[in-house]
Amino acid sequence: MKAVRFSRFGGPEVLEIVDLPAPHPGPGQIRIAVRAAGVNPSDWKKRQGLMDEDLPQTMGHEAAGVVDELGEGVADVAVGDRVFGFSAEPLAQAELTVLSHYAPIPPSLDFPGAAALPAAVETATRALDQLGVGGGSTLLVNGASGSVGSAAVQLAVARGARVIGTASPANHAYLRSLGTEPVAYGEGLVERVRALAPEGVDTALDVAGSGVLPELIGLAGGPEHVVTIADFTGAREHGVLFSRGDSGRAVHALAGIGELIEAGRFSLPVARTFPLTEVAQAHRVGESGDVRGKLVLLVD
């Protein structure tokens, strides 16, 4: 099968399409013929050598496609079903991949839209669970217009929370459409948030990693009410929880997101799609930081 791989660290130019042996599912797993695979910031961090020193490395953790092989004990899907989910290995950006956690694709979604879901929905759900976000509370999301941020604000609204989200003014109308009260980031953030919530907020989620943890701590009343997914150094310095998948993933989120999508209460835009062979260009666009929505690779 064809798959994305790199054998040396560096820029997007190190990415290549190679032939690899086809994987097969183990007990409780399924294999899919991949139709679309998500692209995430962790991909270019891996490519730059910031996450794993081993070489070579394959790429991708989320995909959508058609079931073509079942592992032992699998009875909840059948060959030919449309599913999305997390790959058992970092091998989603390939013609075939094995999924360890999966769910049916909602009827209203195409393959690119489904491939955009797993990482953003799981990350957002995990952070909201860790913060204990629920009905009647007020959540501040720093970096609310990206894929994880927009997932977090919609899931928090679905839980009955009031949500304030930071973004550039160009994205404020988009945040309002998600049920969020937008504020501009940058100098004066605390004052702008307090103008909306004079007593501060109950919890805060940092998605952007823009160095504002002290401000979020002040607004939320202590570091125990703040979670970051983007500022590891700041989390250690200020006593804030840094949420990461290796401490336990909220894979239960995959099963429930379809109902919200079909009810019109959740959407995650796909910003751009690229053929698998243009994965390097997808990295260049993603690293530019000027993307609202998800980047997705299409597998023919």
Side-chain angles (χ1 to χ4, degrees):
M1 68 169 188
K2 302 294 185 184
V4 177
R5 190 178 72 175
F6 59 91
S7 299
R8 58 190 176 92
F9 298 120
E13 70 278 357
V14 305
L15 299 171
E16 53 186 352
I17 306 296
V18 300
D19 288 307
L20 295 178
H24 295 282
Q29 299 176 334
I30 62 173
R31 189 178 75 177
I32 65 170
V34 179
R35 296 292 181 262
V39 179
N40 293 289
S42 60
D43 292 346
W44 39 89
K45 291 178 182 177
K46 283 186 59 176
R47 191 201 70 227
Q48 294 165 1
L50 301 177
M51 298 180 65
D52 189 343
E53 297 180 354
D54 294 335
L55 288 172
Q57 292 187 40
T58 51
M59 302 286 284
H61 288 279
E62 55 182 350
V66 178
V67 178
D68 83 335
E69 190 174 321
L70 303 178
E72 180 183 350
V74 173
D76 54 350
V77 295
V79 171
D81 286 355
R82 300 190 327 143
V83 300
F84 70 105
F86 287 106
S87 60
E89 302 291 338
L91 191 59
Q93 296 171 12
E95 291 178 320
L96 297 167
T97 195
V98 171
L99 301 185
S100 53
H101 301 283
Y102 52 87
I105 295 177
S108 64
L109 280 192
D110 57 12
F111 288 117
L117 293 174
V121 170
E122 185 280 325
T123 302
T125 299
R126 172 172 20 102
L128 296 182
D129 288 349
Q130 290 166 330
L131 286 168
V133 173
S137 64
T138 299
L139 168 70
L140 172 62
V141 178
N142 178 52
S145 63
S147 58
V148 175
S150 60
V153 300
Q154 292 177 87
L155 292 172
V157 168
R159 295 183 181 199
R162 177 193 182 192
V163 182
I164 299 171
T166 75
S168 65
N171 287 319
H172 284 192
Y174 170 64
L175 290 186
R176 290 190 188 96
S177 75
L178 302 182
T180 304
E181 300 170 61
V183 296
Y185 52 71
E187 186 176 351
L189 171 64
V190 171
E191 291 73 22
R192 288 189 291 275
V193 173
R194 289 201 181 276
L196 294 174
E199 303 302 319
V201 299
D202 297 299
T203 54
L205 171 59
D206 172 37
V207 178
S210 52
V212 297
L213 288 182
E215 290 88 339
L216 301 187
I217 291 168
L219 287 164
E224 69 275 14
H225 304 303
V226 180
V227 165
T228 180
I229 67 165
D231 190 353
F232 179 72
T233 301
R236 288 195 300 180
E237 180 180 351
H238 299 290
V240 166
L241 174 64
F242 182 82
S243 182
R244 54 197 306 167
D246 56 9
S247 60
R249 292 189 178 275
V251 293
H252 61 87
L254 298 183
I257 198 63
E259 182 177 348
L260 287 176
I261 291 171
E262 295 306 296
R265 302 178 66 194
F266 186 94
S267 64
L268 196 62
V270 174
R272 286 185 62 179
T273 61
F274 303 82
L276 186 69
T277 53
E278 295 181 14
V279 60
Q281 180 60 17
H283 276 229
R284 293 185 185 99
V285 171
E287 286 183 279
S288 73
D290 192 26
V291 177
R292 188 180 80 191
K294 197 64 177 271
L295 302 178
V296 174
L297 299 174
L298 303 180
V299 183
D300 186 357

